[in-house]
Amino acid sequence: MTQQVEREIENMLVLAAEDCDPANFDQLHKFSSRNDRRVLSNLVAHGPVLLRGGRGSGKSALMISASRQLDPATPESSAVGIYMSLRHAPLLKSTGEAYGRILCTLIIRNIKDQLKDRALNFDPEPEVGAVQFALSKLAETLGKRIVLFFDDAAHLGREASLEEFFDIYRTLSSNSVSCKASIYPGVTRFGIRFDVYNDATVVDVFRSEELPDFADTFVEVMNARYPRSFKSTNFSSSLDKKSVAAFLGQAVLGNMRSFVFACNALQSRRGGDEKIGIPELSETLIELASNYYWPLLDEIRPKLGVYESMVETGSDVANLIFTECGQRSGNPRDVIIHRDIDEKLSKPLQILEYAGFMSKREASRALKSGGRGARYALNLCNILEQTSGTRLVKSLYDRWSEKSREEAIQFSKGSKLSDIPVPETPPSGDLAIFTQGIGALSKSNAYPYGLSPQKIQLLEEAGYQTVGALVEASDEDLDRIRGIGVATVLRIRNVLGQAIWM
């Protein structure tokens, strides 16, 4: 790889796999861990799969990578892979038959676009039965199984259309058509016809420091994305590159997008020939806590519809848990929450898990006080924020880097956590993001590759005042605005995707 290419790759801020230039995809995305290989194997195999993971965990990257192993990207493959992102606002605003028509239209369009001449006769009506029959005929004509990858199938803030999606997903699945869909933890509206554990295989995107190849995964990503900034010689004598990569990976609970943010923050702290040491790691974790994780809750809030009020509850839960862990001797990084509290706070906990504050590692663990509860691992950034002195020292770095763990803090039925009230959920509600001014899309901690003030002004002068109005605009409408070209239209679509989806 030339130095010019290395510089270009290091200067990229590619947070969403679907926004990545296909020419750079394999260079930026690595899947060497045993779990990643297992996930990819499930995604290309026969049978329906639900790929479950939080924001930035790598679901899209895994689905795109799986599709690239199949025809047309790999013509010699015995199956055809059709990847499609469901980041389309009309899907969020529709239910019933209208939802089905829009989804079927997207399936037809993606198949025709990706198979081109081989799908010339693929032109069914946008109706589930017609698409099902046409897919079976297309598979027969091609002599290959068809794999449909539905990315962003679920939206945490609007579950109304999920029943329709899973009904269609189930209908399209057959011996010749394998459906795969990405979902978030906590998605429950599968509908009365869809039995999640009988009608699909649920595969979790799971990267834990408790697994043997955890460090290898993150040092490989660090090598790929930062070939010049993070060489072995860039670290102080008390640290080595692999242990730092593993530590940062653990600090963000194995979340790939958060790991990229962590590396970018650490990279910015390197000046000239200075070595990376414990102080730089300490500053990086504190910056992530204050300028990444907490702002992320503000970003999520307007996307949650009826669950918007749960963000405040989630914030109260996080403050209580992280304060308890940060001030406890040994700075434990796990909590066990009694199952009754876990059920009561299910939606706030799902929001915190989605945002990367915590990650459920075990569904059931015995508590000393009696009963059982779920074990959650906590991100190290927010623990450090509450630690005495608010700084990382070598002894704490070593303790957190060890395989053995401090005893988890237990929240029993009578703990303070059980006293946190949960607001009632209204029966319906629109996503507030649609009514926000387009200034919300400006580059910020929430939207690191957002729009510049100049582009925001051009859009406002063209009459686009709200995010909802911008969503409704066609690419042709936007391209006609003086100063907005094809590249900017693509950027606008990418930012809107992040603003509305997760």
Side-chain angles (χ1 to χ4, degrees):
M1 187 165 49
T2 66
Q3 289 189 356
Q4 178 62 28
V5 173
E6 286 183 353
R7 290 192 188 96
E8 289 176 359
I9 287 175
E10 283 200 36
N11 290 331
M12 289 178 188
L13 181 57
V14 180
L15 303 179
E18 58 267 39
D19 300 340
C20 182
D21 185 337
N24 296 316
F25 183 88
D26 291 331
Q27 175 61 35
L28 293 175
H29 299 88
K30 303 298 178 182
F31 307 102
S32 61
S33 74
R34 187 182 310 168
N35 186 62
D36 284 349
R37 293 195 301 270
R38 178 183 64 86
V39 171
L40 289 170
S41 177
N42 276 279
L43 288 175
V44 299
H46 282 273
V49 168
L50 297 179
L51 184 62
R52 183 169 58 190
R55 173 190 187 272
S57 59
K59 300 186 302 298
S60 296
L62 285 160
M63 295 189 91
I64 292 172
S65 180
S67 72
R68 288 165 68 90
Q69 296 179 22
L70 305 178
D71 188 10
T74 306
E76 62 272 19
S77 172
S78 61
V80 173
I82 305 296
Y83 170 86
M84 64 193 89
S85 172
L86 301 189
R87 286 188 174 193
H88 294 268
L91 285 173
L92 274 181
K93 299 179 178 181
S94 305
T95 56
E97 291 184 7
Y99 179 93
R101 284 194 301 273
I102 296 170
L103 180 58
C104 287
T105 299
L106 289 172
I107 294 171
I108 295 166
R109 188 175 73 198
N110 275 279
I111 288 175
K112 292 174 76 70
D113 287 348
Q114 294 179 49
L115 293 182
K116 302 189 185 325
D117 292 346
R118 289 189 287 168
L120 286 176
N121 296 323
F122 188 81
D123 199 22
E125 290 295 316
E127 184 272 325
V128 179
V131 171
Q132 179 192 31
F133 179 78
L135 281 169
S136 297
K137 294 297 291 182
L138 180 62
E140 183 181 339
T141 301
L142 297 175
K144 297 185 177 185
R145 178 171 53 93
I146 296 175
V147 184
L148 301 179
F149 296 95
F150 295 106
D151 199 9
D152 295 304
H155 192 289
L156 196 62
R158 191 173 190 276
E159 298 173 335
S161 58
L162 289 182
E163 293 188 23
E164 282 90 355
F165 171 78
F166 288 112
D167 197 15
I168 295 169
Y169 172 100
R170 181 178 181 273
T171 301
L172 295 181
S173 298
S174 67
N175 289 334
S176 58
V177 179
S178 301
C179 292
K180 322 287 179 176
S182 63
I183 62 173
Y184 295 114
V187 172
T188 54
R189 290 212 182 169
F190 293 105
I192 58 175
R193 293 187 59 202
F194 190 87
D195 184 336
V196 62
Y197 292 108
N198 284 326
D199 291 330
T201 299
V202 179
V203 177
D204 287 299
V205 180
F206 184 69
R207 298 186 183 92
S208 168
E209 68 282 356
E210 298 168 46
L211 299 176
D213 53 5
F214 181 81
D216 296 330
T217 297
F218 286 93
V219 77
E220 185 178 26
V221 173
M222 183 178 275
N223 285 336
R225 292 221 177 201
Y226 306 92
R228 295 171 62 83
S229 295
F230 297 135
K231 297 178 180 178
S232 297
T233 53
N234 295 141
F235 297 90
S236 68
S237 58
S238 62
L239 301 175
D240 68 86
K241 181 177 179 177
K242 186 174 182 177
S243 69
V244 170
F247 179 79
L248 288 178
Q250 178 190 348
V252 298
L253 298 171
N255 185 284
M256 278 299 174
R257 186 179 302 177
S258 302
F259 180 72
V260 171
F261 270 102
C263 288
N264 286 341
L266 183 61
Q267 183 187 42
S268 69
R269 276 160 175 73
R270 268 201 72 229
D273 295 327
E274 293 180 15
K275 303 284 187 178
I276 296 171
I278 294 294
E280 288 73 26
L281 287 175
S282 181
E283 292 170 9
T284 295
L285 265 59
I286 293 299
E287 179 181 334
L288 286 175
S290 59
N291 291 330
Y292 177 69
Y293 285 110
W294 291 114
L296 189 53
L297 290 181
D298 292 328
E299 179 202 336
I300 292 170
R301 191 188 306 270
K303 305 177 184 183
L304 290 178
V306 296
Y307 299 119
E308 191 171 333
S309 61
M310 295 290 182
V311 172
E312 199 66 42
T313 306
S315 180
D316 292 340
V317 169
N319 274 311
L320 193 156
I321 289 176
F322 283 100
T323 298
E324 186 74 21
C325 290
Q327 296 178 358
R328 186 73 64 92
S329 174
N331 306 107
R333 42 196 162 132
D334 298 272
V335 295
I336 302 174
I337 301 175
H338 191 280
R339 61 186 176 189
D340 290 350
I341 306 175
D342 192 52
E343 183 177 349
K344 172 190 171 185
L345 297 173
S346 60
K347 189 55 68 174
L349 288 171
Q350 286 168 18
I351 291 170
L352 290 174
E353 190 171 6
Y354 163 79
F357 283 75
M358 58 205 317
S359 173
K360 184 179 284 189
R361 295 290 169 82
E362 293 177 70
S364 183
R365 171 79 80 86
L367 282 83
K368 290 181 179 179
S369 58
R372 303 189 71 83
R375 179 173 74 92
Y376 291 88
L378 307 179
N379 82 51
L380 305 184
C381 308
N382 291 87
I383 297 178
L384 185 63
E385 186 183 39
Q386 297 298 330
T387 299
S388 177
T390 320
R391 67 189 181 93
L392 184 69
V393 294
K394 187 63 165 62
S395 59
L396 182 56
Y397 173 89
D398 290 338
R399 188 161 65 246
W400 274 345
S401 298
E402 291 173 354
K403 292 259 184 178
S404 60
R405 307 172 80 87
E406 298 287 335
E407 185 177 356
I409 292 180
Q410 302 189 6
F411 291 93
S412 61
K413 290 180 70 172
S415 65
K416 292 180 181 178
L417 199 58
S418 64
D419 296 331
I420 294 179
V422 179
E424 289 190 14
T425 302
S428 62
D430 294 327
L431 306 188
I433 185 65
F434 288 123
T435 59
Q436 287 193 339
I438 63 172
L441 305 178
S442 299
K443 186 173 182 179
S444 64
N445 289 331
Y447 302 111
Y449 50 11
L451 303 179
S452 67
Q454 179 194 23
K455 300 303 181 186
I456 294 286
Q457 183 178 351
L458 289 173
L459 291 168
E460 288 176 338
E461 290 174 351
Y464 298 103
Q465 302 299 320
T466 66
V467 172
L470 198 56
V471 165
E472 297 294 337
S474 68
D475 289 356
E476 292 75 18
D477 291 336
L478 297 176
D479 193 31
R480 281 194 287 268
I481 301 173
R482 187 177 179 83
I484 302 287
V486 174
T488 303
V489 171
L490 178 59
R491 189 178 188 89
I492 290 170
R493 292 299 178 210
N494 289 341
V495 176
L496 284 172
Q498 186 193 6
I500 299 167
W501 272 260
M502 300 299 189

